[in-house]
Amino acid sequence: MEFRHVPVLFNETMEALKVTPGGTYIDGTTGGGGHSSGICQRLEGKGLLVAVDRDMDALRASEKRLEPYSCSKKFVHTNYSDIETLKNQCGPRGADGILLDLGVSSFQLDNPDRGFSYMHDAPLDMRMDEDDSLTAYDVVNKYDQKELERIIREYGEERWASRIAQFIVRSRDNSPLMSTGELVDVIKAAIPARARREGPHPAKRTFQAIRIEVNGELDHVRKAAESLPDILAPGGRLAIITFHSLEDRIVKQAFNKRLNPCTCPKNIPVCVCGKVPDVKKVTGKPVVPGKEELEANPRARSAKLRVIEKLDAASREE
């Protein structure tokens, strides 16, 4: 299956990264190489792209797509939160730009074999890295009811989490749930008919929740948003595209902590902790897709882009 990838907020992201020939840039979620190709084009044959993905299919597709570009390229099979590996790849000076696009790729959603989609009947998998051991089958069939309910409520923001968890446990008591199709049927049975007639597909939120759990997504987002600024060169930018409120909240909080690191009690008139910001905000409110992009790519509708820039030593002391 061809790895189709429609890069979200492409122009906005390229502008935010300020790609400069000769620089070093990390695409931590290279996917099919959509954003990576934009970076390579702007490097004009001078500089380095570090293309990272936890999905080997994505890396292979990205490598093929980026063949026409003459800049230096490294393809790294790891998670974008693997800070030490990324630091080693970009050298002692650091990265001039880092991009994370946290959306699930169209390839993963549309490939029935991967089990990400509620629109195809497939084995319960949902692993972004097929070397990982935990699968959607394990979550659905081995987690207790209370834990299932927590995951579906917190990660899926699903109002019917309690009933869905109850119905899953009741169904698996007869026989394990083996496929996405079986899980969709259970979810539909759990949600009252009147609720199924409104809003998105009834299984959307539960599938999102299980996918997040299988891949440890929120933990990786938190670690990356907090630590990736450490490997930016002065003037380097970190751009993160999120697709749901849980991710966006984590990124916003991590950026704000960098922007406001002072730990002094608020009633003290002068800072005594000595902690000063090492980044500045590039975007105020998050950047969102325009009407034209939404018409061309409806999957972009929930995307939000936040960007910060690393300060040099002189700017921090001012």
Side-chain angles (χ1 to χ4, degrees):
M1 183 174 178
E2 183 184 358
F3 202 117
R4 296 186 297 106
H5 180 71
V6 181
V8 173
L9 292 166
F10 179 82
N11 293 328
E12 295 85 347
T13 301
M14 293 301 109
E15 181 180 346
L17 287 174
K18 293 199 309 182
V19 179
T20 303
T24 296
Y25 295 84
I26 299 173
D27 186 347
T29 49
T30 190
H35 288 114
S36 289
S37 63
I39 294 171
C40 284
Q41 182 179 10
R42 286 158 179 79
L43 284 174
E44 299 176 359
K46 307 166 189 173
L48 170 66
L49 169 75
V50 182
V52 178
D53 211 287
R54 63 194 299 188
D55 187 330
M56 279 302 302
D57 288 339
L59 275 183
R60 284 187 282 265
S62 178
E63 187 168 4
K64 183 176 181 180
R65 181 167 182 172
L66 299 179
E67 282 178 355
Y69 300 101
S70 58
C71 62
S72 298
K73 299 180 285 285
K74 295 180 180 179
F75 297 89
V76 184
H77 180 220
T78 191
N79 195 291
Y80 58 77
S81 66
D82 184 358
I83 308 300
E84 285 303 313
T85 295
L86 300 192
K87 181 180 179 180
N88 292 335
Q89 293 295 330
C90 61
R93 181 175 173 275
D96 297 291
I98 303 173
L99 168 65
L100 301 182
D101 174 356
L102 301 178
V104 181
S105 72
S106 297
F107 174 85
Q108 290 168 333
L109 285 173
D110 296 339
N111 185 346
D113 296 336
R114 303 297 293 273
F116 284 99
S117 176
Y118 42 80
M119 302 301 291
H120 304 289
D121 191 22
L124 281 168
D125 194 327
M126 299 193 196
R127 290 173 297 172
M128 292 181 178
D129 184 342
E130 293 179 290
D131 290 337
D132 290 344
S133 57
L134 184 68
T135 67
Y137 174 90
D138 299 319
V139 174
V140 169
N141 290 290
K142 298 178 183 179
Y143 280 29
D144 64 34
Q145 184 173 325
K146 185 176 180 180
E147 186 67 359
L148 274 174
E149 179 182 344
R150 182 192 68 80
I151 290 166
I152 296 168
R153 188 182 308 283
E154 291 184 12
Y155 298 167
E157 299 177 295
E158 171 60 72
R159 61 177 296 199
W160 300 104
S162 178
R163 279 177 59 86
I164 292 170
Q166 179 184 352
F167 274 56
I168 287 174
V169 171
R170 184 187 302 170
S171 177
R172 77 189 192 191
D173 282 345
N174 295 322
S175 61
L177 293 169
M178 303 297 295
S179 72
T180 55
E182 292 176 46
L183 179 57
V184 168
D185 290 341
V186 171
I187 294 168
K188 286 182 176 178
I191 299 176
R194 67 182 184 279
R196 296 201 305 271
R197 289 192 290 267
E198 302 172 357
H201 190 286
K204 179 179 180 179
R205 294 186 179 92
T206 299
F207 269 60
Q208 172 184 293
I210 295 170
R211 189 202 76 223
I212 289 172
E213 173 67 13
V214 167
N215 295 289
E217 292 177 38
L218 298 186
D219 290 336
H220 292 301
V221 172
R222 185 175 293 105
K223 181 180 178 183
E226 291 176 352
S227 302
L228 283 175
D230 293 333
I231 63 174
L232 285 172
R237 290 185 170 186
L238 170 59
I240 302 182
I241 302 172
T242 62
F243 284 83
H244 56 76
S245 60
L246 299 175
E247 292 175 339
D248 185 59
R249 191 178 308 129
I250 290 170
V251 173
K252 180 180 179 181
Q253 290 172 348
F255 283 7
N256 283 340
K257 188 175 179 181
R258 284 274 180 171
L259 292 160
N260 305 284
C262 177
T263 56
C264 295
K266 296 192 181 297
N267 60 348
I268 295 180
V270 179
C271 173
V272 295
C273 74
K275 295 181 179 179
V276 296
D278 63 349
V279 300
K280 69 177 182 179
K281 187 182 294 185
V282 176
T283 55
K285 291 184 178 180
V287 179
V288 297
K291 181 180 178 181
E292 185 176 338
E293 179 170 7
L294 291 175
E295 290 176 352
N297 182 18
R299 284 178 176 170
R301 62 186 175 273
S302 56
K304 293 182 179 180
L305 169 65
R306 294 185 185 272
V307 187
I308 55 175
E309 180 179 309
K310 190 72 170 285
L311 296 172
D312 58 27
S315 298
R316 294 181 214 177
E317 294 170 359
E318 292 177 357

